[in-house]
Amino acid sequence: MNERRKPYPFDQFEPKWQRRWDESQVFHTPNPGEGGFDPARSKFYILDMFPYPSGAGLHVGHPEGYTATDIIARYQRMRGRNVLHPMGWDAFGLPAEQYAIKSGQHPAVTTRENVAKFKAQLKRIGFSYDWQREVNTTDPHYYKWTQWIFLKIYNSWFNPETNKAEPISTYPGNNPDEVRLAYVADVPVNWCAGLGTVLANEEVIDGKSEIGGFPVVRRPMRQWMLRITAYAERLASELDELDWPEGIKLLQRNWIGKSEGAEIDFEIADCALSGPEKIRVFTTRPDTLYGATYMVLAPEHSLVDLIVTEEQWPAVRDYRERTARKSDLERTELSKHKTGVFTGGFAINPANGEKIPIWIADYVLLGYGTGAIMGVPAHDARDLEFARTFELPIVEVVQPQGDEPAIGFVGEGVAINSPVINGLKSADAKKALTEWLEGRGCGKQAINYKLRDWLFSRQRYWGEPFPIVWENGKHRALEERELPVVPPELADYKPSGSGDPPLAKATDWIRYSEKATRELNTMPQWAGSCWYYLRFCDPKNDERFVGEEAERYWMGGPKPGGIDLYVGGTEHAVLHLLYARFWHKVLFDLGYLSKPEPFQRLVNQGIILGEDNQKMSKSRGNVVNPDDVIDQHGADAFRCYEMFMGPLEQMKPWSMRGVEGVARFLARVWRLMMTENQAGNWELSPRLQEIPPDKAQQKIVHATIKKVTEDIETLSFNTAISQMMVLVNAFTNAPVLPVTAMRTLLVLLNPFAPHITSELWEKLGENFQGAPLNITEVGWPQHDDALLAQQEVEIVVQINGKVRDKFRAAMDASEETLKSSARLLPKIQEHLGGKEIRKIVVVPNKIVNIVAN
RNA sequence: GCCGGCGUGGCGGAAUUGGCAGACGCGCUGGACUCAAAAUCCAGUGAUCGCAAGAUCGUGUGGGUUCGAUCCCCUCCGCCGGCACCA
C-alpha cells in the first residue's frame, strides 16, 4: 500500500463542500432590488486585485491575498453584512499575444483555456467568491464599456475654474481638441523595439521595458495621451483621507512629485531677432536668483534655434544629435559627469541686470518645468558640477546657519549678496523675491509636477481598439451605439517593427466608410483594470457600465472611498492604483459615481519567497504549486498555512514543514471531535457531551473569541491561528468536551478552514440539537468580558530592574499591600541583604521594582 | 545619492501608551505506544557556567534618557523596496 493514509479525510469532504457551495450558490450576493436582498444589512465590499491568467497557472503568491480577503468575507457574512466578494480576469496582455505570434492561435483561445485553469485552481482552495459576478476584460460585453468610458474621457475637458472634468460642450474656446482629456500628440515616447510598441513612463525601469527587459529608446511618435496631469493636485491631496499604508501614499506622492516655486522670465541679450523673446525658467529657489550666473536649456528646447550664434551652430547641432541618439539607459548611466555646449547667446538676469551665458545640456529635461533652468552653482549640486566643468562663475547668495561652507550649500539659510532680500531667511526670501518679480512683470509663483500625461496607446493586437475613426487627418469619436468595436481576426499578429500596429494588416476592417479609417492603436493593459471594480457591482448590465442603484449601494458609504478593503501587491503602487483613481475621478466629476475615490482601505500582501529564501522562479526551481500542496495536505491546511507564515504584509519564505505543522493542527481539531472505530471509519467522539464548559474552559473559549475577532479586524491572521491552537491544545486531553465550546471553535475557525469546520459542524448537528444545520447560517460569537476577569494576578518582583521573584495577589490590590508583600518574600530579603532601599516603584497588577544599593 | 521599511533562538515568527523577551509553529532531544516503523501522545529545548538550587549574559553596533528599553532619542552597520540629473 503506497498511498499514505490521510491524517483526516480532507480528500473526501473538501470536494464535497466545494460542490455544495457551487450548487446552492450560497456565496451569491443579490443586488438591491433583486430577490433575496436584505436592505437591513450594511454592505461590505472586499476586493482582490484580479489576476492576469497566465499559462503557468496559479502560484502560491496569488492565494496569499485571496485567502486573507476570503477570511474577511466569510467573517463579515457571519457578522450579518451583505458582502461583495468578486473575482475576474485581467486578460488582455502580452503573453497571449506573443503565443499567438508563434502559434497563430487566436489569443482569445489561449485566454479561455488559461481562465478555466485559474478558475478551477481557485475553486479548489475553497474561496467564497460570487462567481455569478465574474468579469473578463477581453469579453466584448466588458470592453464595450471600457471603450464607452474612453469616449467619456475623450468628450471631456478639465475646467480649472471648477477644478473638475466637464463635458466638452461646456468648453468656451473654439478648438476643443486642445483641451480634451484624451488627445493625440507628437511626443517623444518610449519606443521598445523588442516589444514592438511604445510604453508609458511607468512601464520603463532603468531604460528597459518592465516586461521582458528590452532596451527602450526615446523617439517622437504620434500617440494617444490621457491628461492625467490635470488631476495631479487632486490625486496627491485626496490621498490624505484614505486608509492606505503611509509608504504607498508616499510612493504616489513622490511619483506625482509636486514642487512649489516660481517661474522667472529672462530676457535674451543683444537679440538680433525681432520681438522681445524671453526664456522662462522654473525654480524652487527664487531666493537664489542673484546667484544665477548662467542659464541652461534642454537640447530640444524650441528657443535654441533662435539664440544660437553662427560660430556655435556646428557644436550645438552635434550635441543635439548625440543627445537624441542616447537611450534612456545611456542617459542615466552617463549622468555621473556633466556635458553641455555654449550657444553663443546671452540672457539678462532680471535681478541684477547682468549678462549671463546660455548653454544647452542634457541634464536639463524638456519635459519638466519649462525645459530651461537658471544655473545657481553655489547652491545646487548639479549646477555646481556643471559650473566647475565649464569654469563658470560661482556666486554665494545663501549664508548657512551653521559653520558649513556656503559654496555647495543647498539647504535653507539667510540671503546674502542679494540687494532686494538681504538678511531674509530663505523661506521669506522666496516669497519676497517672487513678489518683487511679479511687481516688475517678469515672474510669478508656480507649481510643477513630475507626473506626465499618460501615454495611452499601444501597437498591439490583443487590447481594446479605440472607438475612434480618422477623416481628413482629424480624429472623431464613434457613437455609443457603435460599441463595442471588436478587433478583426488576423492571420499574423506580429508587430511590423516600424511602429505600425498589427491592426494595420486588417485592410478591410480599417476601412470604416468611404472617407474614414479606424484608429489602429489599441489601449494599454491598464485600461481594463481601471474600472473592473465598478463592473463587479453590476456585471451583466447591458444598458449602462454599472447600474445607478448598484453603484450607489456598493460604492457608497460615509468615507471618500467606496471599496471597504482592497488587497494586492505593492507592484501596483504607482501604476494601476494611480490610473484607476484618475478614471474614477473623471467619472465622478461627470456625475456617474457616488464617491471621489475607489479604494478606501488598501493592504499590500508581502511576497512569498521559495524555501531557499530566494524569489520564486522557474529557473531557480523553487516554485511551489498550490495543487501539490492541496493534494498532500488539503485546501484548509493550505489556506491556514498561508496565513500562519507570518504577518500578511511581510515578505516571508515558504516552508513545507510549516504546512505539515498546520495540517497537524487541523488533524487535531478533527480528532478532537471524531474517533476512528475498529472498522476504520470515523465517527463522533464519545467525549462530546451536552454539558456546560467549566470555568477554565469558558475562559479560554472567550479569550479566543476576543483574540480571533480582534486579529481578523487587524488582519493579524497568524496570531489568530496561534490562539486557536492554544485552545485546541487545552482541550486535547479533556475527558469530556462540551458541545457548545466545540461549536464556538468551529465558527471561529470557519473563515480560515471552511471545509473541515463545515463537515464537523454537520456531524455535530446530526447528534446534537440547538443550532442551525449549516455553519454558514451561524452568527459570529461575542466574548463576555465578565468571564475573562481575573480575581488574582501574578505580580513580578524586581530588584534594580531584574526579576527576582513572583507572587500572586488580589486583582487591584493597593500599592501599599503589594509593596509590603514583595518585601516580605524570603528570596527578596535574601537578595536585599544589607542593601539600603532607596525607592520602590509599583505598577498595579503588574510589577514591584525595588531600587536598592 | 535621496526617500521609506526592516534587523528578536537552529528556522518562521510573538510581545509596544516603556513593565516577566521568545506565545504559537517548525526543527531537535528524551519518554510512552509498537515485534518494528510511521502516525499519535507526554516532557524538555535562547546562550554560558553549575550535579542542583541558581547565577551571568542576551532583541544588528555603540552610546543616551529611565527605577525599568525589543519598544523612546542619537551614531554606525546590514538587508529589502522605491526614486534617480525633477531645477
Side-chain angles (χ1 to χ4, degrees):
Chain A
M1 200 171 92
N2 290 329
E3 175 82 358
R4 222 180 74 215
R5 197 165 149 60
K6 310 284 186 206
Y8 68 98
F10 60 79
D11 50 332
Q12 289 163 36
F13 63 70
E14 287 186 351
K16 177 184 102 181
W17 283 100
Q18 285 163 17
R19 218 174 312 120
R20 279 211 211 166
W21 295 333
D22 231 11
E23 282 161 6
S24 64
Q25 289 287 303
V26 265
F27 302 122
H28 171 59
T29 310
N31 268 356
E34 284 176 25
F37 177 78
D38 181 354
R41 295 168 179 240
S42 63
K43 69 101 185 179
F44 192 83
Y45 187 176
I46 178 161
L47 182 69
D48 292 300
M49 289 184 186
F50 68 160
Y52 172 73
S54 72
L58 223 53
H59 58 79
V60 294
H62 286 115
E64 189 192 11
Y66 300 165
T67 304
T69 53
D70 197 60
I71 289 167
I72 295 183
R74 288 174 179 270
Y75 163 78
Q76 291 291 0
R77 282 191 205 103
M78 285 175 136
R79 299 219 70 156
R81 305 184 77 169
N82 289 329
V83 173
L84 181 55
H85 186 40
M87 179 47 77
W89 318 105
D90 188 16
F92 278 126
L94 213 48
E97 176 159 328
Q98 282 176 333
Y99 185 71
I101 292 169
K102 263 191 274 165
S103 68
Q105 187 178 51
H106 195 281
V109 177
T110 323
T111 300
R112 202 178 312 125
E113 285 166 6
N114 292 346
V115 164
K117 187 170 177 179
F118 261 68
K119 194 170 171 181
Q121 281 186 303
L122 290 180
K123 285 199 172 185
R124 262 201 96 186
I125 307 173
F127 293 137
S128 63
Y129 293 118
D130 179 356
W131 286 108
Q132 292 182 37
R133 293 177 184 264
E134 180 179 354
V135 302
N136 183 329
T137 55
T138 65
D139 180 347
H141 293 103
Y142 181 90
Y143 67 71
K144 169 185 175 179
W145 298 107
T146 310
Q147 292 169 338
W148 179 87
I149 295 171
F150 175 82
L151 289 182
K152 290 292 150 199
I153 296 170
Y154 175 86
N155 286 318
S156 305
W157 69 296
F158 192 86
N159 184 346
E161 308 268 303
T162 56
N163 195 29
K164 60 180 210 159
E166 292 176 11
I168 198 76
S169 54
T170 71
Y171 177 60
N174 41 24
N175 186 3
D177 286 354
E178 279 177 354
V179 296
R180 292 180 187 277
L181 289 180
Y183 63 98
V184 174
D186 283 301
V187 285
V189 298
N190 306 299
W191 169 253
C192 177
L195 296 173
T197 184
V198 299
L199 298 171
N201 291 327
E202 289 85 346
E203 293 172 303
V204 181
I205 315 268
D206 291 335
K208 295 189 188 143
S209 63
E210 190 189 19
I211 300 169
F214 299 109
V216 172
V217 295
R218 285 256 157 203
R219 143 175 183 187
M221 277 176 83
R222 192 148 219 247
Q223 298 292 325
W224 282 95
M225 307 290 291
L226 297 192
R227 211 177 294 277
I228 191 172
T229 49
Y231 281 85
E233 180 61 42
R234 279 169 60 187
L235 286 169
S237 66
E238 291 171 29
L239 281 169
D240 294 349
E241 301 301 308
L242 301 180
D243 305 317
W244 288 19
E246 283 305 318
I248 300 293
K249 288 192 189 179
L250 197 68
L251 240 46
Q252 286 215 355
R253 284 201 190 97
N254 288 344
W255 189 263
I256 295 164
K258 179 178 180 172
S259 46
E260 297 179 59
E263 283 179 354
I264 304 174
D265 293 332
F266 285 63
E267 276 181 46
I268 299 172
D270 313 323
C271 195
L273 310 139
S274 58
E277 278 297 345
K278 288 181 173 186
I279 302 175
R280 177 166 290 181
V281 304
F282 173 73
T283 177
T284 55
R285 292 297 299 271
D287 59 311
T288 63
L289 179 57
Y290 282 91
T293 53
Y294 65 96
M295 204 169 188
V296 186
L297 305 189
E300 310 91 337
H301 197 286
S302 58
L303 288 179
V304 172
D305 292 340
L306 298 181
I307 52 175
V308 68
T309 56
E310 199 74 39
E311 60 271 25
Q312 288 304 104
W313 185 240
V316 166
R317 192 175 47 208
D318 181 56
Y319 186 79
R320 279 176 135 182
E321 278 170 13
R322 269 185 296 148
T323 306
R325 255 182 287 130
K326 279 185 202 169
S327 69
D328 270 19
L329 185 60
E330 286 172 310
R331 232 166 132 153
T332 322
E333 273 172 356
L334 296 173
S335 72
K336 312 263 148 42
H337 62 273
K338 298 277 176 286
T339 59
V341 173
F342 178 46
T343 61
F346 289 87
I348 306 296
N349 184 330
N352 51 20
E354 276 177 32
K355 222 170 116 178
I356 58 174
I358 305 173
W359 288 62
I360 61 170
D362 66 3
Y363 84 93
V364 174
L365 309 170
L366 187 65
Y368 183 77
T370 60
I373 62 154
M374 60 184 204
V376 185
H379 306 294
D380 181 281
R382 296 150 303 180
D383 295 347
L384 182 59
E385 205 195 324
F386 190 80
R388 284 192 168 145
T389 305
F390 297 105
E391 293 176 340
L392 294 158
I394 300 168
V395 177
E396 303 161 29
V397 290
V398 180
Q399 183 66 51
Q401 302 289 52
D403 46 13
E404 309 124 273
I407 291 183
F409 176 74
V410 297
E412 307 232 318
V414 174
I416 53 168
N417 300 328
S418 308
V420 176
I421 49 170
N422 269 338
L424 292 180
K425 285 187 180 166
S426 296
D428 301 326
K430 285 181 195 178
K431 215 181 285 171
L433 196 92
T434 308
E435 279 166 15
W436 182 80
L437 286 168
E438 242 166 292
R440 303 173 50 125
C442 54
K444 61 170 194 272
Q445 210 187 319
I447 294 172
N448 246 290
Y449 300 91
K450 279 203 278 183
L451 186 71
R452 304 293 146 80
D453 275 342
W454 178 10
L455 175 68
F456 193 67
S457 44
R458 298 290 182 278
Q459 293 70 51
R460 293 209 188 131
Y461 172 77
W462 194 227
E464 300 89 348
F466 282 79
I468 293 284
V469 292
W470 291 80
E471 198 171 331
N472 300 326
K474 291 194 76 182
H475 48 79
R476 156 162 80 76
L478 295 179
E479 297 295 319
E480 240 182 273
R481 60 180 154 74
E482 297 178 86
L483 303 182
V485 179
V486 181
E489 298 278 335
L490 282 186
D492 175 14
Y493 302 93
K494 219 187 200 131
S496 65
S498 67
D500 260 357
L503 289 182
K505 294 172 185 163
T507 41
D508 290 344
W509 180 83
I510 291 173
R511 190 151 298 283
Y512 171 78
S513 69
E514 278 291 304
K515 295 182 201 150
T517 58
R518 291 184 189 276
E519 166 66 42
L520 299 178
N521 287 297
T522 54
M523 300 186 200
Q525 196 184 349
W526 309 107
S529 58
C530 273
W531 73 284
Y532 73 113
Y533 56 91
L534 295 169
R535 189 65 179 166
F536 278 140
C537 297
D538 194 11
K540 291 180 184 137
N541 197 326
D542 278 332
E543 307 300 313
R544 217 166 177 278
F545 73 115
V546 56
E548 282 177 272
E549 192 181 8
E551 193 279 332
R552 255 202 312 277
Y553 184 70
W554 294 113
M555 295 299 295
K559 299 276 181 64
I563 291 169
D564 299 274
L565 180 61
Y566 192 26
V567 176
T570 341
E571 67 271 22
H572 295 117
V574 285
L575 295 159
H576 160 64
L577 287 171
L578 197 63
Y579 296 152
R581 291 180 63 222
F582 164 50
W583 277 36
H584 194 96
K585 286 182 187 302
V586 175
L587 291 169
F588 172 75
D589 287 351
L590 297 175
Y592 291 103
L593 300 175
S594 321
K595 295 282 163 188
E597 286 281 338
F599 317 117
Q600 182 58 38
R601 184 177 176 206
L602 174 76
V603 171
N604 295 116
Q605 86 270 26
I607 302 172
I608 297 185
L609 304 172
E611 300 229 27
D612 54 0
N613 248 299
Q614 302 285 313
K615 218 169 173 174
M616 279 197 198
S617 76
K618 247 192 213 161
S619 56
R620 285 203 187 86
N622 60 355
V623 176
V624 179
N625 181 347
D627 287 324
D628 298 339
V629 181
I630 294 172
D631 285 340
Q632 272 193 60
H633 303 287
D636 285 335
F638 177 75
R639 295 167 60 110
C640 288
Y641 176 65
E642 289 253 357
M643 295 298 98
F644 188 63
M645 291 171 82
L648 181 66
E649 298 178 73
Q650 194 172 299
M651 182 193 291
K652 46 212 177 282
W654 187 267
S655 155
M656 276 305 173
R657 298 271 199 192
V659 185
E660 286 170 34
V662 174
R664 270 202 279 274
F665 159 65
L666 293 174
R668 274 209 301 282
V669 173
W670 179 261
R671 288 196 311 273
L672 201 53
M673 290 170 235
M674 304 296 285
T675 52
E676 214 169 359
N677 64 20
Q678 287 186 328
N681 295 321
W682 292 103
E683 54 188 35
L684 221 54
S685 166
R687 288 155 72 203
L688 287 161
Q689 284 181 33
E690 285 183 281
I691 52 157
D694 67 33
K695 266 216 166 129
Q697 290 174 333
Q698 207 153 41
K699 193 164 175 175
I700 194 162
V701 167
H702 281 257
T704 306
I705 296 173
K706 182 168 195 256
K707 178 84 179 136
V708 172
T709 308
E710 287 170 358
D711 283 352
I712 289 178
E713 296 279 356
T714 58
L715 279 63
S716 310
F717 304 113
N718 54 333
T719 49
I721 295 172
S722 308
Q723 178 63 31
M724 290 188 278
M725 287 173 168
V726 170
L727 181 142
V728 170
N729 291 345
F731 277 97
T732 293
N733 286 314
V736 177
L737 300 169
V739 174
T740 54
M742 292 301 102
R743 281 199 157 124
T744 304
L745 166 65
L746 292 179
V747 175
L748 295 177
L749 185 57
N750 178 259
F752 298 80
H755 309 86
I756 188 175
T757 49
S758 297
E759 182 73 8
L760 288 171
W761 185 272
E762 190 174 68
K763 298 262 188 242
L764 286 181
E766 286 166 6
N767 281 264
F768 302 96
Q769 316 282 300
L773 282 175
N774 203 318
I775 195 164
T776 53
E777 291 159 34
V778 184
W780 192 254
Q782 214 172 359
H783 77 273
D784 181 352
D785 274 323
L787 295 172
L788 295 176
Q790 317 233 34
Q791 293 91 13
E792 252 192 353
V793 285
E794 189 171 60
I795 304 292
V796 172
V797 186
Q798 298 179 334
I799 295 176
N800 297 332
K802 283 185 182 169
V803 181
R804 295 302 182 186
D805 205 358
K806 297 163 188 185
F807 67 98
R808 297 195 70 82
M811 188 75 184
D812 297 328
S814 74
E815 289 197 19
E816 282 313 309
T817 317
L818 293 178
K819 260 188 212 177
S820 51
S821 310
R823 290 175 67 167
L824 287 173
L825 294 168
K827 270 192 206 168
I828 297 303
Q829 302 227 316
E830 197 183 311
H831 269 285
L832 283 173
K835 288 176 185 165
E836 183 196 342
I837 297 178
R838 301 172 58 95
K839 185 175 171 185
I840 300 180
V841 182
V842 178
V843 182
N845 297 325
K846 275 192 182 145
I847 220 163
V848 177
N849 188 15
I850 301 170
V851 186
N853 61 6

